[in-house]
Amino acid sequence: MGGITPVCLLLLLWAGVTVSSVLDLQKRIVGGQECDKTDRLYHVKLIWRNGNRRSLCGGSLISNQWILTALHCWEDGPGWTVTAVVGVHPGPGTEEKIIDYDIYHPDHDFMLLKLKNPTTTIHPVQLPDCTAPPRVPLGKEVQIAGYAATTKAPNAVPSTTLQCAKTTVAIYSTLSQMHVFYGRDITELPKVATCPGDSGGGVVYNNRIYGVIIGETIKKAVGCVRPVFVDVCEYITWIKPSINGPKRCLMCG
């Protein structure tokens, strides 16, 4: 992967948060619609490749060179490479090489990826205002987005349009050492859910990124699940030095 050898990077194996070994994105964000052409321009499509196998996740540009995404998106092992497609919305975007990464801890589903070349055309999403908890009050509306497939595996191909949806914050909790918050339950109306390929996408409130989509904690055989998001504010004192200084990986030797 362009010189990156993240031997210290352990995939999260908790139930329900998995990464496909083939492109199996069978559904889009449920309850959403095509994003406006001026929305979510900072959204990044991350593509892992290994021969004919491919895995897809989302991410958000939080500076002109750093992408915030979910750690479980990482495909570890021989032969895997990763590229970032920036400017993919409204499209078609350009593939850029990833040259660096940073993680907070292997048990926290949170990762930073660094582009080889800084982008000069895309305005990054603002980091959150973390001065007064709760950062996003219960019942407030947040925006999520992701790409999908138009057909089922093994012939699945990504959608050419970014899907946007809204949900309300229902619960704050702790999950596997991480501080997370949940969107409305998918049994309620209007129904909104996240699907396998939506992981890593940003959760936006007041035009700032307050969360990262990580999926659900209960394993599902098929289908989409109630949205759950890592709380960005819990990591803000780590993020800022990481994107402004040298590479850090707390679990690397």
Side-chain angles (χ1 to χ4, degrees), residues 128-138 140 142 169 172 179-181 205-206 208-211 231-237:
D129 177 2
C130 302
T131 56
R135 290 88 180 193
V136 184
L138 294 178
K140 291 295 184 179
V142 294
V169 177
Y172 272 91
H179 293 274
V180 300
F181 58 102
Y205 172 69
N206 281 347
R208 295 174 180 266
I209 185 168
Y210 280 84
D231 187 347
V232 173
C233 279
E234 293 297 329
Y235 303 88
I236 197 68
T237 56

Side-chain angles (χ1 to χ4, degrees), residues 115-134:
L115 295 172
K116 180 180 179 180
N117 300 308
T119 177
T120 59
T121 59
I122 300 171
H123 187 69
V125 62
Q126 293 186 77
L127 288 170
D129 177 2
C130 302
T131 56

Side-chain angles (χ1 to χ4, degrees), residues 46-188:
L46 298 169
I47 305 174
W48 275 260
R49 295 185 177 93
N50 189 344
N52 293 327
R53 293 186 294 171
R54 189 164 69 156
S55 180
L56 185 66
C57 269
S60 301
L61 278 165
I62 58 171
S63 77
N64 66 351
Q65 202 165 11
W66 284 96
I67 299 164
L68 183 60
T69 186
L71 175 59
H72 77 261
C73 289
W74 188 280
E75 288 283 12
D76 206 7
W80 284 101
T81 61
V82 59
T83 55
V85 187
V86 298
V88 73
H89 178 69
T94 57
E95 288 201 20
E96 299 287 347
K97 188 176 182 180
I98 298 294
I99 60 166
D100 207 351
Y101 72 97
D102 202 355
I103 66 169
Y104 178 81
H105 188 283
D107 292 334
H108 294 246
D109 204 353
F110 214 70
M111 176 169 61
L112 291 165
L113 299 175
K114 187 178 183 180
L115 295 172
K116 180 180 179 180
N117 300 308
T119 177
T120 59
T121 59
I122 300 171
H123 187 69
V125 62
Q126 293 186 77
L127 288 170
D129 177 2
C130 302
T131 56
R135 290 88 180 193
V136 184
L138 294 178
K140 291 295 184 179
E141 187 176 82
V142 294
Q143 294 81 44
I144 57 178
Y147 277 88
T150 56
T151 58
K152 292 185 178 182
N155 299 314
V157 293
S159 171
T160 58
T161 59
L162 185 65
Q163 300 292 313
C164 283
K166 298 177 181 179
T167 187
T168 54
V169 177
I171 304 170
Y172 272 91
S173 185
T174 300
L175 168 65
S176 184
Q177 303 183 52
M178 297 182 297
H179 293 274
V180 300
F181 58 102
Y182 290 76
R184 181 192 299 114
D185 194 284
I186 59 173
T187 60
E188 302 173 31

